[in-house]
Amino acid sequence: MNLKRIYIISIIFCISLTLCADEAVQDTNYYNLRVIVDGINRIEGKILTIAVPKEDYKADGNFKGRADISDVDNYTMEFVIDSLKQGEYGLISSVILNDDLRTFYILDYQYAFSRINDKELDIDIKRGEPQIIWPAFDDIKISIPETKVIRLILSNNKPK
């Protein structure tokens, strides 16, 4: 009887130890990035900030990643992009004045890239309209978890 009780307690202890160890590993695999966006011209619209991993960054501006979308309510905004895995990311932020967040034309609005603050981007003319030449990923990359807080300064583009 006493041996049976010790056996059951040992099994419960091993299971709980495994569950705790699994939660500890999960906590170290995901990180939060605090983002401060400065230089907003007007308090209107939404601010979109997206952390794009290298494998999902495309030179044509089509990309996917972890994002935060917030109503612009101040000239400086602060928020957290959570659940980022360890690795390299490029951050892109833009003020969006229309409701269609699927279209991301940073030429029309204020924008910022990580590590390229307040710098004009290269423009190419195709079919009579300016097209952005997106910066290379290596020019905007940051490392997670080494980077815990980042400040982006929006371009001085006037919102249309």
Side-chain angles (χ1 to χ4, degrees), residues 137-148:
F137 182 83
D138 287 341
D139 291 339
I140 66 170
K141 72 179 177 184
I142 60 169
S143 294
I144 300 294
E146 292 80 9
T147 305
K148 294 176 180 23

Side-chain angles (χ1 to χ4, degrees), residues 57 90-93 106 111-122 132-142 150-156:
Y57 184 84
L91 258 67
I92 305 165
S93 186
I106 65 172
Y111 59 85
F113 290 87
S114 47
R115 296 182 53 208
I116 305 182
N117 285 330
D118 210 20
K119 177 183 173 187
E120 291 300 317
L121 295 176
D122 293 329
I132 193 165
I133 298 175
W134 291 87
F137 182 83
D138 287 341
D139 291 339
I140 66 170
K141 72 179 177 184
I142 60 169
I150 189 164
R151 180 183 208 144
L152 301 175
I153 301 171
L154 292 175
S155 68
N156 288 324

Side-chain angles (χ1 to χ4, degrees), residues 28-135:
T28 59
N29 286 337
Y30 294 94
Y31 303 92
N32 294 340
L33 176 65
R34 191 171 127 226
V35 180
I36 302 164
V37 180
D38 248 342
I40 298 171
N41 284 341
R42 287 195 250 175
I43 299 177
E44 65 179 301
K46 297 189 180 300
I47 187 151
L48 168 67
T49 302
I50 185 169
V52 183
K54 183 172 187 169
E55 61 272 9
D56 293 327
Y57 184 84
K58 307 288 187 251
D60 62 359
N62 291 317
F63 41 75
K64 61 182 179 179
R66 300 279 307 161
D68 182 90
I69 301 169
S70 301
D71 290 329
V72 174
D73 61 6
N74 205 333
Y75 296 105
T76 298
M77 300 283 297
E78 186 174 327
F79 43 86
V80 174
I81 298 177
D82 60 357
S83 301
L84 293 173
K85 292 183 179 180
Q86 181 175 351
E88 293 179 337
Y89 292 84
L91 258 67
I92 305 165
S93 186
S94 181
V95 172
I96 308 292
L97 295 178
N98 63 25
D99 289 332
D100 187 7
L101 293 175
R102 292 171 297 162
T103 58
F104 189 60
Y105 302 113
I106 65 172
L107 283 176
D108 296 338
Y109 309 114
Q110 290 186 279
Y111 59 85
F113 290 87
S114 47
R115 296 182 53 208
I116 305 182
N117 285 330
D118 210 20
K119 177 183 173 187
E120 291 300 317
L121 295 176
D122 293 329
I123 303 295
D124 189 16
I125 302 295
K126 290 184 181 174
R127 292 180 228 106
E129 294 185 17
Q131 305 289 317
I132 193 165
I133 298 175
W134 291 87

